[in-house]
Amino acid sequence: MADISSASRQSELREPLKPAAVFAEGAAAYPAGAPAGPADVAHEDDGPMRFRGNGGESTTRPRRGAAVPGLAANCWGQDELKQRYPQLTEDVDADVCIVGGGISGLTTAYLLAKAGKRVVLLESRLIGSGQTGRSLGDMTPWHTGLFSSLERWTNREQRQQVGVSNAEAINFVESVVESEGISCGFTRCPNFLLAAPAVAVPGDSRDPRSVSSRSGDASVREGERVLMQEYEASKVAGLDVNMVELDRKAAGGGRALQLPDGAVMNPLLYVQGLAAAITGKYGGRIYETTRMRKATPSARTLTTMEGHTVTTRQGYVLATASPVTSSILDSALHVLALHGKQHVRRRYVVALKVPKNSGYQPGVYYDAGEPQHTALITPGKASTKMRAGYHDLLLVSGEAHDQGKRPSQYGQPLQQLESWARTCWPAAGERLYAWSYNYFQTAEDLGLYGSDPTITTTKDVYVATGDCGRIMTGGTLGGNIIASQILGWPAAQLYKDLYNPSRKLRGGIPGLPAWSPRYFKNTIQSALDMLLPLPHYVRAAGDIENLARGEGAIINSGLRKVAVYKDDAGEVTRMSGLCPHLGCLLQWNPEDKEWNCPCHGSCFDKQGANICGPATIDMTQLKSK
């Protein structure tokens, strides 16, 4: 793979790096190599805003009224992000253009710029404003979807490649942190796979057959069976895995699988460090608040919403979680070639206060139940943002579900997540933060990184999608694979069949790709909801008179579906309820207060502003009645 340590390093054990003090201090702290000073952007009364990201100063202002939508108030400080790089205001050319300023896009840009390519990166909002800045910052050589589940789709050699590629992604990040001096708290730590504990949650409607909802001896026996099965599968995949007995302070004790060489970091500071190295050291150009509107693959050209073009010599990369599309035809082609291979999921995170130096065994913990959970402890600090004095944070994610379900189907995901966390870590205190992120789940539980399968006129269009929730590991891996292909490095062939967006692995219908049944189920349901009258409970909840302030709903308005939102002052915003991407019926997300597409993953804030694609425009505003 590109510029990564060799596979032989997979089983090396290193001395862990000393945890950096900035680990959970939020994004206000600047990574090494970033512009000096308390902020990159001057105050309004200082005159034109000056950006220092692209080899000089620019007096370009961000778009008027362009408040950045969709930032999470989390422990990394995503909601505190400020614009550091200018908006594109002219036509430019480059060797390669990358669309998307998350982990996969920045990793690709970093490798290309370091190799001497002229690189332009476009980010529709701000660097780290997407799912990377919402992730836990964990990386693992283990396949968190269970190696045993891969046996249907892959042979033994391919499963070994999965373990090696994950380990190489961690090695790559470690080498970049060290060589570029990025202060992101990167720390090597063990990973543990737990037998899922029984958790009783009032009103829990999860499948009673799942491991996590069983109780007593049956739960213990099933957990032991899953651990042993995964132990054997991981050994076959070549991982250095051991069965251990955990101390009672570590996830409640009991047996677990241990992998020695995972890692954790502050994901926001890491990608900011990558951006600083790209622009300050390797001559790349980054443009924030610059949204792609149209792509012309045959001309290798991208056009922004403002009409400016980026003309490339070697093509462009769509590193936007779900590839953004620029026309109805483009979107339709992607339905079977990419969208149909994955479905969008939403996963929740809570950050609970735990005593400093509580004695909990360090590491990242995963459970084998359904829904799966991930937990890690990150250092806190004494600050206003942390609010509660000097302490650590227990970060726990889980309770994932398909995105875009009806508001009445949400239940209590945050309460369920807390219940699981407190069962495993009884000393966990008050909840300080809660947020969510979405991700794209493929049928084979493997990412899609490489040439866009819908483009027949050129091979110079690349996509990075389907990381299956392994945001830092998958994004790093995807960036390396795509950069290797563009640069023509031999390593590009190493994982060609495994992560190729056009792959046809065993286990599906011979000769056809593995399409996601959940994608088609969710799309069909959305179409039915769009065509048929909404159920009574939706109409009742959607009655504008009775709609609570700060809430939204989809309502019937004659033959059309209308999205309405009532703000805290009682003012009502009316928008089309159809996603501007391909017309799926949007659903109100009561946990995040935003509109979600159940088909292809687009998200919009409560007022209809686009947060993430594949849609590239906002929801259609309607006249108020």
Side-chain angles (χ1 to χ4, degrees), residues 104 169 220 305:
S104 57
V220 173
M305 294 293 289

Side-chain angles (χ1 to χ4, degrees), residues 152-153 503-515:
R152 171 187 174 186
W153 302 101
R503 69 181 174 230
K504 296 178 179 65
L505 300 177
R506 72 180 193 182
I509 300 175
L512 294 178
W515 287 313

Side-chain angles (χ1 to χ4, degrees), residues 506-527:
R506 72 180 193 182
I509 300 175
L512 294 178
W515 287 313
S516 169
R518 298 270 280 276
Y519 164 78
F520 291 101
K521 172 183 175 295
N522 294 339
T523 301
I524 292 170
Q525 183 61 59
S526 179

